[in-house]
Amino acid sequence: MDGPAGSHSFRLFNYTKEDKAVKVSTANWTMDADGKVSTIATTEQSLDGWLVINPVEFVVKAGQNQVVRIAARPAVALGAGEHRAMVWFDEQPLPGAPSAATTLRTVFRFGGAVYGHVGPVQRQGELIDVQARDGDATLQLRNTGNATSRCSGSYAIWRKAEFPGDAKTGVVEKVGTDDMVLPEGAVMAGRLPNDAVLPEASRRVVFAYTGNRLPPGEYVLDLNGSFGDSTVDRSVAFRVPAAAH
């Protein structure tokens, strides 16, 4: 935001067989500890009041797409740190559309988050806690920087007896692809969740493991990567109990 002014854009695709009328609006927003987004009052320092959007109303023809250009033009000096806005795309029902005669009609609402930064960007944070279970895990993350941060990297699940220790493991190569190289002794691996954590906030992130269900036994969930610019290197043991008869 304190560099050369530029414009950005969203592109909406209409994959249906009906024309879609859309109206664009903006709002200030926040996120709670479980990742639920809610709108909050506009302030002089929030970005929603300073966005220039073109167009704000349009019709996307069936099978076509529409570009919506967005530029930030603040009329006041924005303080150091992150400033946010949500750009809402709301469908406006067309009276002559084929679906207008249906008993229950649905319309869409898409939200596109916009982030603007003033001054040096610091994506710092920490992984406070990890809880692993059969099927999924929960991360407790705290963002101590001034910009929204996400995790990047991989997790791997090892048989406990074959886990070599944190110092001997790292990010899984080509994770999430058909060419993924699974370390010997590991039974599955996947990408760390990339859910957003706002500045100076904490969030609980739950993610499910990829692959088949784990058979009963003792395991270690090993995390390697980063949260923002901070390193993530953590492991936690867990047990998958035998099914009750």
Side-chain angles (χ1 to χ4, degrees):
M1 296 292 295
D2 46 2
S7 62
H8 306 272
S9 64
F10 289 100
R11 186 182 295 270
L12 273 71
F13 291 85
N14 181 1
Y15 294 111
T16 75
K17 297 180 180 180
E18 298 180 16
D19 296 347
K20 298 291 184 180
V22 181
K23 185 175 182 179
V24 185
S25 61
T26 62
N28 191 14
W29 64 280
T30 189
M31 182 186 295
D32 67 15
D34 289 319
K36 182 179 179 181
V37 172
S38 59
T39 58
I40 56 177
T42 297
T43 71
E44 189 178 63
Q45 291 289 304
S46 61
L47 199 58
D48 54 302
W50 307 121
L51 292 183
V52 179
I53 300 176
N54 184 44
V56 293
E57 293 189 60
F58 51 88
V59 174
V60 188
K61 296 292 185 180
Q64 301 298 312
N65 63 81
Q66 171 71 46
V67 173
V68 178
R69 302 193 184 281
I70 299 173
R73 301 288 186 267
V76 300
L78 297 181
E82 182 173 280
H83 305 267
R84 295 182 297 277
M86 188 69 73
V87 180
W88 291 111
F89 301 89
D90 290 286
E91 181 181 358
Q92 308 298 300
L94 292 172
S99 61
T102 60
T103 303
L104 179 63
R105 187 182 185 188
T106 61
V107 294
F108 64 74
R109 187 182 213 208
F110 298 141
V114 177
Y115 304 86
H117 300 107
V118 176
V121 174
Q122 299 174 342
R123 290 188 170 89
Q124 301 171 344
E126 57 182 326
L127 175 59
I128 302 171
D129 186 45
V130 182
Q131 295 180 3
R133 296 170 296 276
D134 176 17
D136 62 29
T138 299
L139 309 182
Q140 291 285 350
L141 297 163
R142 179 188 295 133
N143 186 343
T144 58
N146 66 0
T148 294
S149 295
R150 295 171 171 82
C151 286
S152 177
S154 66
Y155 70 86
I157 296 179
W158 297 71
R159 288 180 285 270
K160 186 175 181 180
E162 300 180 52
F163 181 60
D166 290 336
K168 296 183 179 180
T169 61
V171 176
V172 178
E173 296 181 22
K174 301 179 181 179
V175 64
T177 72
D178 292 337
D179 298 325
M180 179 176 67
V181 180
L182 193 64
E184 185 177 354
V187 296
M188 65 175 64
R191 293 189 179 95
L192 291 179
N194 65 346
D195 303 64
V197 185
L198 301 185
E200 300 180 358
S202 297
R203 181 171 177 186
R204 184 179 72 99
V205 175
V206 180
F207 69 95
Y209 310 139
T210 59
N212 298 324
R213 188 178 182 89
L214 295 169
E218 302 290 334
Y219 298 92
V220 172
L221 173 66
D222 183 45
L223 312 176
N224 286 281
S226 61
F227 174 50
D229 296 327
S230 301
T231 299
V232 170
D233 186 5
R234 184 82 65 86
S235 62
V236 59
F238 68 103
R239 179 175 178 269
V240 176
H245 296 288

